[in-house]
Amino acid sequence: MAKGALDPKDWDSFKQEAHRMLEASLDKMQAAEEGRVWTPMPEAMKSDLKTAVPQQGRSPADVRAALEQMLPYGVGNTHPRFWGWVHGTGTAGGILAEMASAAVNANLGGRDHGGIYVEKAVLDWCKEMMGFPAEASGLLVSGTSMATIIAVKTARDKRLGIATRQRGTGATKLVGYCSAQAHSCVGRAFDMVGLGTDAVRKIPVDDDFRMDMAALAQAIATDRANGFEPFFVAGTAGAVNVGSIDDLAAIADLSAAQDLWFHVDGAFGASACLSAAQAPLLEGMARADSLAFDFHKWLHVSYDAGCILIRDADAHLAAFSERPDYLAPATRGLAAGDFWPVDYGPELSRGYRALKVWAHLQEHGTEALGAAIARNCAQAQMLAGLVDDAATLERLAPVVLNIVCFRYLPAMGADADGLNAEIAVRLQESGVAVVSTTLLHGKLALRVNITNHRTRDSDLSLLVDAVLQTGRQIDGEAS
């Protein structure tokens, strides 16, 4: 029995508290469809958290009770009417994987241990799911933001040469491209690898919010004529505003012709490849030089879990491999092993996130995950129909995947943007639903993102009724 300085003094008593915490956590998941969507943390609890750093410890029973008290005050994304942002809902099975991961407490930076083989297995599955070749490389990361940094750095180093790692980028005039609807992580990656956000050209979109290919070709030609060096283009598979998907096949063709690194931001949309109905929308994605996507969004793995796949494994390794003496490779013992994740990304210390991804895929399989995605897309079409049928609602964008953007039309002369912003806040504060807002063509829209395996069709009808009722109420207050 472990008797270290920080081990429980009474293991039996500690196990009882652990079982109570597990029961409470499972009870929360079992009741995920009940009650409010979002519950703000009470002011008294916020104040209680503002204490000096603890000098003396508390009993496991006290800590367990404090943890239980915090369970109701999350974002709300486990609830079926959470549609505000692209968050996955998690699953009850994820609790079990997190328990096992905590018990092992492995550093997935490297060495020859079980976790490394789990991550390799998961990466092989990722390549198979996304249509990448078996010889491609990859890494599990915190999310698409980190994945994009890894992709941009690999592309930069391949273009400028590996000596860039020592001497810096110098006076390079590298530039890259993405659509005006692309996620901000592309610009942040350019910033963090020393190229600067000004090096990202944001290309206009067409009426379907897809990158305008003629405008992209023209921007590349203009940059070359002005002495810049185009090297990178990011296609979006599921824009966060409206769910649009760029013409990935056309971008792949242009990238090949123009010698550009073709990256796909598939944070949530790439997962649609698991649905037979949606997979054709992603034609061309498998031709990418790099692909970033998340497990914690539409695949519902507990936060956080993302992935980067890179077609050129040698370029990926060259961009990051540089072990200090104390991490020198060995042929035998714990320091052996032919895959050390530290050679493929910036983190030396890495959590065992591979285990929860592995367990999630084992429990549910890609067929069930794909079916849940297809159902969400069908629900988005259903919601679009309800919006279109309501005289005082206006849809502001096509529905391609799972996002519906619309607004309430107020009485003549009223501030439509302000009224719809107030509708979103009142829905959140009432606990009825969580939606977010966005700007489309200068108009503020209510944005409903359905990446939720618990959403019921009746929830969407309830939402439309609530929007209409709240809009009429605000209209009446203003008159």
Side-chain angles (χ1 to χ4, degrees):
M1 182 180 297
K3 297 181 180 179
L6 301 181
D7 286 323
K9 301 299 184 285
D10 182 341
W11 275 99
D12 289 337
S13 174
F14 180 82
K15 286 180 179 180
Q16 290 177 1
E17 297 303 327
H19 284 297
R20 292 189 180 104
M21 190 68 234
L22 175 59
E23 285 289 336
S25 299
L26 292 174
D27 286 347
K28 175 175 172 54
M29 277 293 188
Q30 189 173 6
E33 297 182 356
E34 302 169 8
R36 296 172 55 92
V37 181
W38 171 60
T39 302
M41 179 175 275
E43 293 301 322
M45 287 189 67
K46 295 178 186 177
S47 297
D48 289 344
L49 291 171
K50 298 176 182 178
T51 62
V53 62
Q55 298 294 313
Q56 302 296 320
R58 299 168 64 183
S59 71
D62 285 348
V63 175
R64 187 266 309 156
L67 290 172
E68 277 194 47
Q69 279 189 312
M70 295 183 186
L71 285 175
Y73 306 114
V75 177
N77 53 304
T78 58
H79 195 283
R81 291 195 298 276
F82 181 94
W83 305 303
W85 294 271
V86 189
H87 289 190
T89 62
T91 64
I95 296 173
L96 305 183
E98 294 281 32
M99 289 169 54
S101 175
V104 175
N105 192 30
N107 180 347
L108 268 286
R111 301 170 189 84
D112 189 4
H113 60 97
I116 296 295
Y117 294 95
V118 172
E119 181 152 346
K120 288 175 67 174
V122 170
L123 289 171
D124 285 343
W125 290 346
C126 291
K127 288 180 277 189
E128 182 179 348
M129 289 189 301
M130 299 299 169
F132 266 56
E135 62 271 17
S137 68
L139 196 67
L140 296 185
V141 293
S142 58
T144 291
S145 291
M146 177 58 75
T148 306
I149 292 170
I150 292 172
V152 173
K153 185 182 186 302
T154 304
R156 183 203 72 177
D157 291 357
K158 184 173 182 179
R159 177 56 62 100
L160 295 180
I162 204 61
T164 303
R165 294 184 60 183
Q166 285 76 43
R167 66 178 183 228
T169 58
T172 179
K173 300 186 76 175
L174 293 182
V175 291
Y177 309 86
C178 64
S179 93
Q181 289 289 313
H183 194 273
S184 61
C185 68
V186 177
R188 292 177 68 185
F190 270 63
D191 168 18
M192 296 187 76
V193 304
L195 298 176
T197 57
D198 285 350
V200 180
R201 313 306 200 219
K202 294 188 177 181
I203 306 301
V205 295
D206 60 20
D207 291 341
D208 292 325
F209 296 91
R210 307 173 85 194
M211 184 153 55
D212 186 320
M213 293 304 298
L216 173 60
Q218 182 58 56
I220 294 170
T222 299
D223 277 332
R224 291 196 193 280
N226 290 332
F228 291 98
E229 185 176 356
F231 85 110
F232 185 96
V233 58
T236 298
V240 290
N241 268 346
V242 297
S244 57
I245 300 174
D246 290 334
D247 188 339
L248 302 179
I251 297 174
D253 290 340
L254 183 145
S255 298
Q258 295 277 356
D259 189 27
L260 304 177
W261 181 284
F262 173 33
H263 174 73
V264 172
D265 178 350
F268 70 95
S271 304
C273 70
L274 299 183
S275 165
Q278 278 70 46
L281 298 171
L282 298 167
E283 181 185 355
M285 184 175 74
R287 295 168 59 191
D289 293 296
S290 54
L291 168 64
F293 68 97
D294 290 325
F295 283 100
H296 57 228
K297 290 189 170 73
W298 222 350
L299 295 175
H300 306 294
V301 173
S302 300
Y303 277 88
D304 54 29
C307 182
I308 180 66
L309 296 178
I310 294 183
R311 183 174 301 276
D312 187 338
D314 291 338
H316 189 188
L317 180 65
F320 290 96
S321 181
E322 187 178 56
R323 295 196 216 171
D325 291 342
Y326 70 93
L327 295 180
T331 57
R332 297 174 57 203
L334 183 56
D338 62 355
F339 173 60
W340 279 51
V342 298
D343 292 330
Y344 295 90
E347 297 175 302
L348 296 182
S349 298
R350 303 173 64 250
Y352 196 178
R353 59 174 62 94
L355 187 61
K356 60 187 175 185
V357 178
W358 181 89
H360 187 77
L361 290 171
Q362 289 281 3
E363 179 184 0
H364 300 288
T366 57
E367 289 185 6
L369 296 172
I373 288 169
R375 182 165 180 263
N376 284 164
C377 292
Q379 289 173 324
Q381 294 296 332
M382 171 193 164
L383 176 58
L386 294 174
V387 168
D388 292 344
D389 289 343
T392 53
L393 298 180
E394 176 188 24
R395 187 153 55 89
L396 297 179
V399 177
V400 177
L401 285 176
N402 59 324
I403 297 177
V404 184
C405 294
F406 65 99
R407 66 176 183 163
Y408 178 84
L409 297 173
M412 189 67 68
D415 175 15
D417 287 357
L419 185 146
N420 280 279
E422 181 65 15
I423 289 174
V425 172
R426 291 194 189 187
L427 291 177
Q428 294 167 10
E429 291 179 338
S430 69
V432 170
V434 169
V435 303
S436 61
T437 61
T438 192
L439 281 173
L440 298 175
H441 299 309
K443 298 177 181 179
L444 187 136
L446 299 173
R447 175 180 170 277
V448 178
N449 159 78
I450 312 175
T451 46
N452 193 319
H453 66 86
R454 297 190 180 101
T455 293
R456 302 153 296 200
D457 292 355
S458 59
D459 291 315
L460 300 169
S461 299
L462 185 153
L463 170 67
V464 170
D465 291 343
V467 169
L468 292 171
Q469 180 181 349
T470 307
R472 287 192 293 265
Q473 180 182 359
I474 298 170
D475 253 346
E477 294 169 359
S479 61

